[in-house]
């Protein structure tokens, strides 16, 4: 199927519904949208996606969140929709991010970090809504030094759509007329991460290159995808086939959504807890290095 811009539409590969939920530390009640355990190979370079739907926290004296823990071999990307987070890591990086901001942390050869509600949010309480995505690194980049990108909302370009918009966190958006806009995140391999909104009744063709993984997660509202092939609601993810150059979405109700995809990293993955490597031996080494302070 082709539209007037001559884009071939991606088909639906699968829809993920009834996602399991759990708490990450005492700060983040998340839906596990996908993980190595539930299968994320078709979503490469993405490895894991946790989504914390809006949750009200009462004022507290003790900051909630996740205390010091290690990572190696990939990047953690945190998108805040409501509330405020503070981050500190053993590479000496840290920052505070609020609504619309993104933190792109490259663990690479390894670090320890903590992810907490900010001091102010802890004191005042409020609603927290956030997403965390893990982006794999290719073998050649897994032993690079850690890095940190604070991507504040003001730096994220916005592309206007008919009846909506996209905020481009990572990757290039090419309009039907050929105009290109690129998100600020520096990535090891081509990654797409777009935060979007469409009013009820609006339709969009999301340009995602042929061969890329592609998925759309709905945070709020209801959408029809791939020309009416499937309907998805809040807290559900549709995975598209890599074939085709545009993912078609129509808002049945006003929707807030996240688009993710990229060039698949065609390498073996061995994931264990906070480590994502290529071999079992590298996982064993990561455990030893984390325990012996070499991270
Ligand atoms: Mn972490």
């Amino acid at each position: 199927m082709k539209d007037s811009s001559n884009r071939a539409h991606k088909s639906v590969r699968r829809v993920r519904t009834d996602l399991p939920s759990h708490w990450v530390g005492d700060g983040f009640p998340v839906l596990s949208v996908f993980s190595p355990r539930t299968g994320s190979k078709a979503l490469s370079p993405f490895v894991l996606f946790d989504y914390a739907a809006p949750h009200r926290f009462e004022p507290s004296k003790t900051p909630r969140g996740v205390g010091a823990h290690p990572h190696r071999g990939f990047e953690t990307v945190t998108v805040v929709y409501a509330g405020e987070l503070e981050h500190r890591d053993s590479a000496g990086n840290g920052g505070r991010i609020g609504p619309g901001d993104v933190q792109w942390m490259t663990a690479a050869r390894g670090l320890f970090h903590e992810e907490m509600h900010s001091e102010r949010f802890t004191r005042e309480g409020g609603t927290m809504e956030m997403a965390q995505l893990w982006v794999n690194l290719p073998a050649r980049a897994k032993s690079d030094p850690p890095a940190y990108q604070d991507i504040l909302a003001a730096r994220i370009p916005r592309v206007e759509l008919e009846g909506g918009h996209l905020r481009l966190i990572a990757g290039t958006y090419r309009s039907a007329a050929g105009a290109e806009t690129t998100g600020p995140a520096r990535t090891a391999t081509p990654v797409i991460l777009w935060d979007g909104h469409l009013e009820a009744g609006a339709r969009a063709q999301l340009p995602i290159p042929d061969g890329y993984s592609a998925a759309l997660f709905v945070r709020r509202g209801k959408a029809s995808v791939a020309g009416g092939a499937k309907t998805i609601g809040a807290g559900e993810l549709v995975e598209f086939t890599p074939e085709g150059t545009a993912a078609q979405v129509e808002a049945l109700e006003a929707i807030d959504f996240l688009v993710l995809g990229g060039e698949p990293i065609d390498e073996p993955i061995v994931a264990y807890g906070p480590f994502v490597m290529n071999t079992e031996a590298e996982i064993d080494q990561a455990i030893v290095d984390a325990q012996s302070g070499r991270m």
Side-chain angles (χ1 to χ4, degrees):
M1 197 180 2
K2 300 217 167 183
D3 66 18
S4 54
S5 62
N6 225 25
R7 283 170 169 153
H9 297 143
K10 292 178 184 289
S11 314
V12 172
R13 186 179 166 274
R14 70 181 278 199
V15 176
R16 297 187 188 228
T17 60
D18 301 315
L19 300 169
S21 60
H22 65 275
W23 279 79
V24 177
D26 62 357
F28 309 103
V30 302
L31 283 179
S32 173
V33 183
F34 59 80
S35 71
R37 213 162 42 81
T38 60
S40 52
K41 214 170 169 220
L43 293 153
S44 174
F46 288 90
V47 175
L48 175 147
F49 178 5
D50 277 347
Y51 169 67
H55 182 90
R56 167 87 202 164
F57 287 91
E58 296 307 318
S60 164
K61 289 195 166 60
T62 329
R64 301 180 184 90
V66 202
H69 59 279
H71 288 298
R72 175 180 279 180
F74 64 103
E75 309 184 281
T76 64
V77 178
T78 308
V79 184
V80 175
Y81 293 106
E84 196 176 60
L85 298 181
E86 268 167 16
H87 168 269
R88 244 191 306 271
D89 71 41
S90 55
N93 294 308
R96 184 185 307 125
I97 54 170
D101 299 336
V102 176
Q103 177 209 85
W104 199 291
M105 189 200 75
T106 306
R109 73 181 174 212
L111 49 62
F112 274 75
H113 75 164
E114 43 177 56
E115 302 162 272
M116 308 297 291
H117 294 184
S118 74
E119 204 181 294
R120 190 182 64 181
F121 185 86
T122 302
R123 195 173 58 241
E124 297 176 358
T127 298
M128 181 70 70
E129 181 187 3
M130 54 82 78
Q132 185 168 92
L133 299 119
W134 291 10
V135 180
N136 199 9
L137 290 169
R140 62 172 163 79
K142 284 186 188 292
S143 44
D144 285 350
Y148 186 80
Q149 302 174 65
D150 244 338
I151 305 175
L152 300 183
R155 279 183 59 210
I156 300 176
R158 192 174 140 130
V159 169
E160 297 304 323
L161 304 174
E162 220 166 293
H165 69 264
L166 291 173
R167 296 191 322 131
L168 309 183
I169 299 164
T172 296
Y173 176 94
R174 180 192 276 267
S175 77
E180 289 190 350
T181 313
T182 300
R186 293 180 306 275
T187 62
T189 60
V191 176
I192 280 175
L193 188 60
W194 302 336
D195 196 23
H197 174 78
L198 286 177
E199 295 300 333
R203 293 176 184 200
Q205 315 283 343
L206 306 169
I208 303 174
D210 187 70
Y212 275 30
S213 61
L216 184 146
F217 178 76
V218 174
R219 293 194 291 122
R220 258 182 289 285
K222 191 183 274 188
S224 151
V225 294
K230 291 280 179 190
T231 298
I232 67 164
E236 298 182 344
L237 178 94
V238 55
E239 292 177 29
F240 295 97
T241 55
E243 298 79 24
T245 53
Q248 221 180 15
V249 55
E250 176 178 0
L252 302 176
E253 300 166 3
I255 51 169
D256 291 318
F257 59 98
L258 197 61
V259 179
L260 49 143
E263 189 179 285
I265 298 173
D266 189 18
E267 294 176 3
I269 290 181
V270 184
Y272 177 79
F275 310 124
V276 181
M277 305 302 294
N278 300 113
T279 67
E280 295 282 354
E282 288 168 347
I283 291 291
D284 293 344
Q285 189 63 50
I287 294 168
V288 169
D289 288 349
Q291 284 170 348
S292 61
R294 283 198 297 267
M295 221 174 246

